[in-house]
Amino acid sequence: MSTSHTLSRLIWPGVAVVGALTLSAQPVFAGECPADKIKPNAQQMVDYKPVGVTDVTLGAIDLGKQPAHLEGRELRFRKLTIAPGGIVPWHSHDDRPALIFVQQGEIVEYASNCIDPIVHKAGELRPEVFGTSHWWKNLGKETVVLYVGDVRKDPNDHNM
């Protein structure tokens, strides 16, 4: 077999895989509540405690010391790991906007303004803004990993 034929057999499958990954690497946004399922106070507050959740702050920036001078605000980046059956308890984002990236697994959100639960899958991004109150549960058999960037005002606010 010629050297060029051997190289061709080795290179083209790799090129095909890279091409497929490139085409599928478009940003994906998390599932949202369908318009016909949006309703104020659709889910009532529940008093679940955290179950099977680890919340690790990976880094934080005091935004009052930055050129934007957002006094009393902190930009945090965290990793949440939720075991099967784990619960992220009810919390609000009225004063703490966040972006949640689902890195691994599948998790269900119970949002205050949606009649039905919302399923979030690996690779999705979920914005959490004013008007968002909710809790999350891992109903699957796989550990869920979330990366969270949020802006918090109260350093004693340890809500997930």
Side-chain angles (χ1 to χ4, degrees), residues 99-112:
L99 287 171
I100 308 292
F101 178 73
V102 183
Q103 191 271 325
Q104 173 184 305
E106 182 175 295
I107 192 158
V108 178
E109 173 188 7
Y110 299 89
S112 62

Side-chain angles (χ1 to χ4, degrees), residues 56-71:
V56 177
T57 298
L58 302 174
I61 297 170
D62 181 345
L63 295 174
K65 296 178 180 176
Q66 298 302 307
H69 299 292
L70 297 174
E71 297 300 327

Side-chain angles (χ1 to χ4, degrees), residues 48-84:
Y48 296 136
K49 302 299 179 209
V51 174
V53 180
T54 59
D55 182 355
V56 177
T57 298
L58 302 174
I61 297 170
D62 181 345
L63 295 174
K65 296 178 180 176
Q66 298 302 307
H69 299 292
L70 297 174
E71 297 300 327
R73 296 286 176 163
E74 173 185 69
L75 174 61
R76 272 190 311 183
F77 190 67
R78 302 177 295 145
K79 178 181 180 182
L80 271 69
T81 306
I82 304 110

Side-chain angles (χ1 to χ4, degrees), residues 31-158:
E32 295 194 16
C33 186
D36 64 334
K37 302 292 183 176
I38 296 174
K39 177 185 172 193
N41 302 313
Q43 301 280 336
Q44 298 302 311
M45 180 179 169
V46 293
D47 190 23
Y48 296 136
K49 302 299 179 209
V51 174
V53 180
T54 59
D55 182 355
V56 177
T57 298
L58 302 174
I61 297 170
D62 181 345
L63 295 174
K65 296 178 180 176
Q66 298 302 307
H69 299 292
L70 297 174
E71 297 300 327
R73 296 286 176 163
E74 173 185 69
L75 174 61
R76 272 190 311 183
F77 190 67
R78 302 177 295 145
K79 178 181 180 182
L80 271 69
T81 306
I82 304 110
I87 294 174
V88 175
W90 184 274
H91 58 279
S92 170
H93 289 275
D94 283 352
D95 195 34
R96 188 172 49 91
L99 287 171
I100 308 292
F101 178 73
V102 183
Q103 191 271 325
Q104 173 184 305
E106 182 175 295
I107 192 158
V108 178
E109 173 188 7
Y110 299 89
S112 62
N113 60 353
C114 190
I115 294 170
D116 293 338
I118 305 166
V119 177
H120 301 287
K121 299 177 181 183
E124 295 181 340
L125 185 68
R126 167 70 163 127
E128 299 180 327
V129 295
F130 180 82
T132 301
S133 293
H134 58 176
W135 66 284
W136 300 57
K137 184 166 186 174
N138 180 354
L139 299 174
K141 295 179 181 175
E142 179 182 8
T143 297
V144 172
V145 176
L146 306 176
Y147 285 97
V148 182
D150 64 357
V151 177
R152 102 178 144 162
K153 183 175 185 180
D154 180 359
N156 296 313
D157 174 5
H158 297 290

